[in-house]
Amino acid sequence: MSRYQFLQSATLKSGVKVKNRVVLPPMTECMALANGEVSRDELRYAAIHAGGVGLFITPVAYVNARGKGFEGELSVADDRFIPGLNKLATTIQQKGTKAILQIFSAGRMSSSAILRGQKTVSASAVAAPRPGMETPEELTNAEIEQTITDFGEATRRAIQAGFDGVEIHGANTYLIQQFFSPHSNRRTDKWGGSVEKRMTFPLRVVDAVQTAVKTYADRPFIVGYRFSPEEIEEPGIRMADTLKLVAKLDTLGLDYLHVSMGNVWRPSINDRSDKTPLIDQIQDAVTATPLISVGNVKTPVDAERVMEAGIDFVAIGRESIREPHWVEKVEAGAEESIRYTLPLTDLDELGIASPYFDFLAGMDAGGAHIGFEPALATTEKGNAKDLVFRK
């Protein structure tokens, strides 16, 4: 319906026109092949879920072999992956949706088992404060420089594979965030110390990606950056640090900044006395770059509230798993038909293969922020009918 602002188009700094302001954010699916190649399951899922949204950001792809974070993850670490990535980009681009490849290195958020015997790496040899996490090797200066180069090469491959852009994954405790965090970065060289020095690696990655775009792109190409505003670790990233980072990122000509939170309107997890939503503080610090906000957006009313707050794009994550035609149903005035539950009987229709379902179920059972609660639906006679996931 035309009354919704999120259905309006937008033109990014790169010159790319996005047909609406609804984003399918990057979500872990675990459906790539063991070696990182795009699988048929991945292509089928993309075919089902693309088409309505303006931007479709893929599950994350690792930029080098020691950057892999989990099984079933996409790889953009070698040219041999370009043909499969091209199929993924082409599949996403149906009906004008723009295809964005998210790129990262997991850093210490991996394991020697996932890395097939190699040790994990990070800014410093400090283990993540979670059960079972391994102590990583501290990257040498040469390895840091090579990793930055690998981000540029990953961008080249994304361009050659036909994607419309890349998203630099600087969020969710992975390597870029590890360099910015005082918990995982205890270095005393040019890569660590003050908040300005801890920005060095993220900013160098942005520069490498933008240089690759200037060198290889023969068309307008989107570059976005995703970040997490805070950490619970002590010491850890606090909003004062983040506001300095985003103020700098705001000067670099990026197409968007993507705020990674479980709830759009979440206040600080560290300063309980401050009830101001973090997104409001970020909006005050970012004046030149569009923002994407995500977290607990389900209904058109939820999405429109984000628009009314002056945020440029709204990402619909968990709800998009349940309802791949969310945008189309809103456009058709059929909001009453939007699906807000996920029955097991619908998994195949939605393209949710076993690895993806197992991941979702595991996240929920572990109390993480997947946001689903298991419930047992019953027939009118009270008999168990089907297991569904409800938000």
Side-chain angles (χ1 to χ4, degrees), residues 249-261:
L249 292 170
D250 192 36
T251 69
L252 301 182
L254 293 164
D255 285 288
Y256 66 80
L257 293 173
H258 189 172
V259 188
S260 181
M261 292 194 292

Side-chain angles (χ1 to χ4, degrees), residues 175-192:
L175 184 67
I176 294 176
Q177 182 174 323
Q178 289 163 33
F179 268 88
F180 186 56
S181 169
H183 185 276
S184 43
N185 187 347
R186 310 292 176 93
R187 303 176 76 102
T188 57
D189 59 7
K190 67 179 182 180
W191 304 104

Side-chain angles (χ1 to χ4, degrees), residues 229-232 237-239 261 265-279 281:
E230 295 179 301
E231 290 180 327
I232 59 173
I237 296 169
R238 300 297 183 260
M239 274 303 291
M261 292 194 292
W265 311 110
R266 178 173 69 75
S268 175
I269 57 175
N270 294 299
D271 184 357
R272 300 293 184 178
S273 66
D274 187 352
K275 304 302 182 182
T276 305
L278 297 186
I279 191 64
Q281 300 178 47

Side-chain angles (χ1 to χ4, degrees), residues 6-10 17-21 51-54 94-98 327 331:
F6 59 74
L7 295 180
Q8 297 174 3
S9 64
K17 184 174 182 179
V18 184
K19 67 177 184 176
N20 60 52
R21 296 166 184 265
V53 296
Q94 59 177 303
K95 299 180 182 177
T97 295
K98 301 301 180 184
V327 172
E331 289 175 329

Side-chain angles (χ1 to χ4, degrees), residues 71 100 163 175-176 388:
E71 302 294 355
I100 310 296
F163 280 90
L175 184 67
I176 294 176
V388 300

Side-chain angles (χ1 to χ4, degrees), residues 181-327:
S181 169
H183 185 276
S184 43
N185 187 347
R186 310 292 176 93
R187 303 176 76 102
T188 57
D189 59 7
K190 67 179 182 180
W191 304 104
S194 67
V195 65
E196 288 77 17
K197 287 187 174 182
R198 287 186 277 113
M199 286 186 202
T200 304
F201 182 77
L203 296 179
R204 285 284 307 281
V205 169
V206 172
D207 181 66
V209 168
Q210 291 181 321
T211 298
V213 172
K214 292 175 184 176
T215 304
Y216 298 107
D218 58 357
R219 61 193 185 276
F221 193 82
I222 298 166
V223 178
Y225 187 101
R226 195 177 206 210
F227 66 94
S228 296
E230 295 179 301
E231 290 180 327
I232 59 173
E233 287 81 5
E234 184 61 51
I237 296 169
R238 300 297 183 260
M239 274 303 291
D241 301 323
T242 292
L243 294 177
K244 290 180 180 179
L245 174 63
V246 297
K248 180 62 178 178
L249 292 170
D250 192 36
T251 69
L252 301 182
L254 293 164
D255 285 288
Y256 66 80
L257 293 173
H258 189 172
V259 188
S260 181
M261 292 194 292
N263 188 305
V264 171
W265 311 110
R266 178 173 69 75
S268 175
I269 57 175
N270 294 299
D271 184 357
R272 300 293 184 178
S273 66
D274 187 352
K275 304 302 182 182
T276 305
L278 297 186
I279 191 64
D280 291 350
Q281 300 178 47
I282 293 165
Q283 281 182 286
D284 290 341
V286 176
T287 60
T289 310
L291 291 174
I292 298 175
S293 197
V294 66
N296 202 28
V297 177
K298 296 179 291 182
T299 68
V301 172
D302 294 337
E304 191 66 4
R305 182 186 173 199
V306 175
M307 295 288 100
E308 290 170 350
I311 301 166
D312 303 274
F313 292 87
V314 57
I316 299 177
R318 297 178 290 252
E319 173 56 19
S320 74
I321 301 170
R322 300 180 287 245
E323 182 51 84
H325 305 299
W326 191 95
V327 172

